Amino acid sequence: MNQLESYRQFFHCFLLVVLISICYSNTLQQEWHFDDYPNILENENIQLSNLSWDEIKKSMHSRSNTGKLHRPIVFLTFALNYYLSGLNTTSYHLVNICIHIICGIFVYLIFVRTLLLYENTNDNRRLLSVYDIALVGAAVWALHPIQTQAVTYIVQRAASMAGMFCLMAMYFYLRFRTTDSGRRKLVFCLLAVILWLLGVFTKENVVVLPLALIVYELAFFRSSFL
């Protein structure tokens, strides 16, 4: 990647940050709703009084006090929110918006990597570059009304965080598949596995990511598993 392409990607990511921030800026003062009450307001496990290991470990367990881990990563973030700002919803909404921004950026990066697989470097007649097309696709995804619930409904952070880890794992898997360096391949592969596991411990449906990658392999890398 040359310097111009790097600057273009940086500028496109900056545009996504601005667009998403503007779109969701009016949600910062929204109050609690529905499942926010049992999972956050009435959940004593996440109400950290200090950052000791015992308190942090407690926040990652089921609110029913059964001793079982229950989506530990997302509940840890709720606990840290509570420790920093109590039950002031603004900080919770800020975290949700930041998660959605990260998701939008990685959707853009995955779009770029996918489109580059089929780029014809000799064709200069396109009105839009690979990066411009990826920006349009990522913006449509990030600003689509279907995302509203996951971003503005505080407890739905579980869904948006799971999506974030899933997208990040997929991106680093693509980097693993498209790099020639053995050492970098190992690093990208380890990052993909770690992010996938973080996603599974955020929301259980991320466990299906390997199946999605198999479909991607068949569709874009023309891999054969038969």
Side-chain angles (χ1 to χ4, degrees), residues 131-148:
Y131 303 96
D132 297 327
I133 296 169
L135 174 63
V136 173
V140 169
W141 179 90
L143 304 180
H144 195 284
I146 200 172
Q147 311 294 352
T148 303

Side-chain angles (χ1 to χ4, degrees), residues 13 32 109-110 118 124 170 190 220:
C13 290
W32 307 100
L109 294 174
I110 290 170
Y118 291 97
N124 298 316
M170 185 172 185
L190 286 174
F220 296 104

